Amino acid sequence: MSLVVRNLQRAVPLRRAPLRRRLEAVRKILGVQTFDLGVVCVDSRSIQRINRVYRGKNAPTDVLSFPFHENLKAGEFPQPDSPDDYNLGDIFLGVEYIFQQCKDKEDYYDALAVTATHGLCHLLGFTHSTEAEWRKVGAWPPSLCKMYQKEEQVLQELSRRMGTQLQPLSRDLF
């Protein structure tokens, strides 16, 4: 099925082809290449507005995920009833925010891939919460969290394929 990457910002330069290559690889690693996926790249002002409207947080962020199939359990694949249901949802990437957060010598497209992987994990039902909630369910340190484990697994394989060293976005949450 299709992967649609839209660039709706002009704050930072963005070539869609390098991002698309990484996202196609991530979809294959996760086994969800038969599902449609939308990735929308926006500036900090836009992601802040979306974050305020949908999460009540008036601040820019790196990624927001909007699943087509709600209430999936972590790692569960959607069970489409019709061809129209072969859709994972949409990921909004705050590319300006991500660009500003890039550390020295960190590849911008690698940072976008890591962030999009995090968003894709959310579309597949993986979640992360606060440190207190993680401790309560016995998933502390974060490496015991299913989301962290899934991100790490996917990014290790993507790193192997691309010759890079990618780390899960959720490693720095606490």
Side-chain angles (χ1 to χ4, degrees), residues 142-154:
S143 60
L144 298 177
C145 174
K146 285 183 181 181
M147 179 147 185
Y148 179 90
Q149 291 172 344
K150 180 52 76 174
E151 280 183 84
E152 186 174 51
Q153 172 198 356
V154 171

Side-chain angles (χ1 to χ4, degrees), residues 34-48:
T34 59
F35 290 88
D36 291 333
L37 173 65
V39 178
V40 183
C41 301
V42 296
D43 60 23
S44 290
R45 194 177 75 181
S46 297
I47 199 89
Q48 179 174 344

Side-chain angles (χ1 to χ4, degrees), residues 118-135:
H118 184 86
L120 194 46
C121 285
H122 279 306
L123 295 182
L124 293 173
F126 290 93
T127 61
H128 53 79
S129 301
T130 65
E131 178 180 340
E133 289 172 335
W134 278 6
R135 287 185 188 276

Side-chain angles (χ1 to χ4, degrees), residues 71-87:
N71 303 319
L72 286 179
K73 290 183 174 62
E76 193 176 79
F77 283 0
Q79 301 299 314
D81 293 325
S82 72
D84 291 339
D85 291 340
Y86 280 87
N87 188 340

Side-chain angles (χ1 to χ4, degrees):
M1 296 299 256
S2 70
L3 167 64
V4 176
V5 179
R6 303 247 355 244
N7 182 18
L8 301 181
Q9 59 83 45
R10 291 196 173 119
V12 295
L14 177 74
R15 292 182 10 250
R16 290 181 297 170
L19 178 57
R20 174 180 292 284
R21 275 193 303 276
R22 287 165 172 83
L23 293 174
E24 289 290 5
V26 169
R27 290 172 71 213
K28 286 179 185 169
I29 293 165
L30 284 167
V32 294
Q33 65 272 25
T34 59
F35 290 88
D36 291 333
L37 173 65
V39 178
V40 183
C41 301
V42 296
D43 60 23
S44 290
R45 194 177 75 181
S46 297
I47 199 89
Q48 179 174 344
R49 183 178 46 77
I50 298 166
N51 201 18
R52 182 178 59 246
V53 168
Y54 289 96
R55 297 181 62 225
K57 296 186 178 192
N58 191 23
T61 190
D62 49 6
V63 62
L64 294 169
S65 299
F66 297 93
F68 184 83
H69 300 274
E70 295 184 13
N71 303 319
L72 286 179
K73 290 183 174 62
E76 193 176 79
F77 283 0
Q79 301 299 314
D81 293 325
S82 72
D84 291 339
D85 291 340
Y86 280 87
N87 188 340
L88 291 177
D90 296 306
I91 298 170
F92 283 76
L93 293 176
V95 295
E96 180 182 9
Y97 182 86
I98 295 165
F99 183 81
Q100 292 167 347
Q101 300 299 312
C102 278
K103 297 172 179 61
D104 291 338
K105 298 182 182 174
E106 183 177 14
D107 183 89
Y108 174 52
Y109 291 97
D110 285 348
L112 291 174
V114 167
T115 308
T117 298
H118 184 86
L120 194 46
C121 285
H122 279 306
L123 295 182
L124 293 173
F126 290 93
T127 61
H128 53 79
S129 301
T130 65
E131 178 180 340
E133 289 172 335
W134 278 6
R135 287 185 188 276
K136 182 177 174 183
V137 298
W140 191 261
S143 60
L144 298 177
C145 174
K146 285 183 181 181
M147 179 147 185
Y148 179 90
Q149 291 172 344
K150 180 52 76 174
E151 280 183 84
E152 186 174 51
Q153 172 198 356
V154 171
L155 293 173
Q156 281 178 353
E157 178 59 22
L158 185 61
S159 293
R160 187 189 67 73
R161 292 181 185 191
M162 300 186 66
T164 60
Q165 284 288 45
L166 305 176
Q167 295 295 318
L169 189 64
S170 56
R171 80 177 189 282
D172 291 330
L173 286 177
F174 304 105

